[in-house]
């Protein structure tokens, strides 16, 4: 396999690990002041019009989606619409510091993927500002990408990933953060990551940090943006 093609395959295998590391890193961030709707420049063209925080899912794409409901009583109760026909992977998370379990789901097709992740957090955490500011979130993403895609002391070192925050947006209550990043690794085609992070409680009143992360080659992102938006909007922490 040519080196460039091998590198592209390694990138696809690694993006899920980047998302999971980011969620774990956010739990460990210290609280710093921030301002709602803080943005790295203007809201990007890709985010404009998708209405991920307040909009309504598109009826035109409803037939492409099917509902997933988590019913295991040991796991956080939630539901989300998943793309029909996409590869489905799941993982249960357990850390010694938490008595409750976390959960990740990954839906993928070719170079496209959507991941849903939930991790328990302390009951007194009610706003994202208690976990960090927008720069902290961007830094956590960049550091995780570097650790996964360019590990130290590798026999075949990879180019250092370059992560560019494109935009960040949050409502006044600071319960959610919508962010978008561009990830570049050497000569490989750049990837766009779009991530919705939030805090919420399930039916048992357990507190969770959740994230929905969509990734796509930059050249394919615009034509898949509405599908990603509909999946994001469908997520609910819910009764079993």
């Amino acid at each position: 396999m040519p080196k460039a093609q091998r590198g592209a395959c390694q990138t696809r295998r690694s993006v899920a690990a980047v998302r999971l590391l980011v969620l774990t890193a956010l739990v460990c961030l210290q609280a710093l002041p921030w301002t709602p709707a803080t943005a790295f420049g203007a809201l990007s063209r890709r985010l404009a019009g998708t209405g991920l925080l307040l909009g309504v899912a598109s009826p035109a794409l409803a037939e492409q989606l099917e509902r997933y409901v988590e019913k295991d009583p040991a796991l956080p109760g939630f539901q989300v619409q998943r793309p029909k026909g996409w590869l489905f992977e799941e993982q249960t998370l357990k850390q010694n510091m938490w008595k409750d379990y976390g959960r990740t789901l990954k839906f993928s097709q070719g170079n496209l993927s959507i991941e849903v992740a939930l991790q328990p957090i302390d009951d007194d955490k009610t706003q994202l500002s208690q976990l960090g500011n927008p720069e902290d979130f961007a830094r956590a993403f960049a550091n995780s990408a570097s650790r996964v895609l360019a590990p130290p002391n590798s026999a075949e070192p990879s180019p250092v990933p370059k992560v560019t925050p494109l935009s960040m947006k949050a409502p006044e209550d600071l319960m959610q953060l919508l962010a978008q990043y561009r990830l570049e690794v050497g000569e490989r085609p750049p990837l766009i990551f779009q991530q919705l992070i939030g805090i919420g409680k399930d039916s048992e009143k357990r507190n969770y940090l959740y994230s929905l992360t969509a990734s796509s080659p930059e050249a394919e992102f615009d034509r898949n943006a509405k599908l990603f938006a509909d999946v994001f909007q469908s997520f609910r922490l819910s009764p079993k």
Side-chain angles (χ1 to χ4, degrees):
M1 180 184 295
K3 184 176 181 180
Q5 185 178 354
R6 184 168 65 252
C9 292
Q10 291 171 343
T11 299
R12 288 195 293 271
R13 288 195 300 269
S14 300
V15 292
V18 172
R19 290 189 285 268
L20 185 55
L21 278 172
V22 169
L23 188 66
T24 302
L26 294 180
V27 175
C28 301
L29 289 174
Q30 296 299 313
L32 293 172
W34 74 335
T35 302
T38 297
F40 291 86
L43 188 63
S44 74
R45 175 174 58 85
R46 292 186 181 88
L47 290 182
T50 59
L52 296 186
L53 293 173
L54 300 174
V56 177
S58 168
L61 290 176
E63 62 183 23
Q64 300 180 25
L65 302 173
E66 59 186 357
R67 189 171 65 160
Y68 174 91
V69 179
E70 183 56 69
K71 297 181 179 179
D72 189 328
L75 299 175
F78 69 95
Q79 59 182 331
V80 68
Q81 296 284 355
R82 53 181 282 193
K84 292 181 181 178
W86 285 30
L87 179 66
F88 172 55
E89 303 171 59
E90 56 186 328
Q91 182 181 3
T92 299
L93 308 175
K94 186 67 172 79
Q95 296 189 34
N96 292 334
M97 61 194 315
W98 307 114
K99 63 183 178 71
D100 296 317
Y101 289 89
R103 186 70 159 152
T104 65
L105 306 177
K106 181 185 177 184
F107 315 116
S108 61
Q109 178 174 274
N111 292 325
L112 307 177
S113 70
I114 301 172
E115 186 169 294
V116 181
L118 296 94
Q119 184 164 311
I121 57 175
D122 291 335
D123 291 339
D124 61 351
K125 298 294 189 295
T126 59
Q127 294 183 326
L128 291 175
S129 56
Q130 293 174 277
L131 300 177
N133 62 26
E135 288 77 12
D136 291 323
F137 288 86
R139 187 163 54 248
F141 186 92
N143 290 342
S144 297
S146 295
R147 292 204 305 273
V148 172
L149 299 174
N153 303 320
S154 174
E156 188 177 350
S158 174
V160 176
K162 177 184 177 183
V163 176
T164 304
L166 301 178
S167 62
M168 287 193 171
K169 182 180 180 182
E172 291 296 328
D173 61 9
L174 303 182
M175 294 290 288
Q176 290 183 322
L177 173 70
L178 180 64
Q180 193 177 89
Y181 308 94
R182 178 187 291 112
L183 174 64
E184 300 172 85
V185 183
E187 299 300 318
R188 304 172 198 173
L191 298 173
I192 297 295
F193 284 80
Q194 189 157 287
Q195 186 172 62
L196 178 65
I197 302 172
I199 292 176
K201 294 182 181 293
D202 69 1
S203 60
E204 304 298 323
K205 304 302 181 183
R206 295 174 295 195
N207 219 28
Y208 288 93
L209 176 70
Y210 62 83
S211 71
L212 290 90
T213 309
S215 65
S216 165
E218 185 172 34
E220 300 177 30
F221 190 90
D222 282 352
R223 66 174 174 268
N224 292 288
K226 199 68 182 81
L227 174 63
F228 295 156
D230 281 9
V231 173
F232 280 27
Q233 291 166 348
S234 72
F235 176 81
R236 299 287 186 275
L237 279 164
S238 62
K240 300 291 186 181

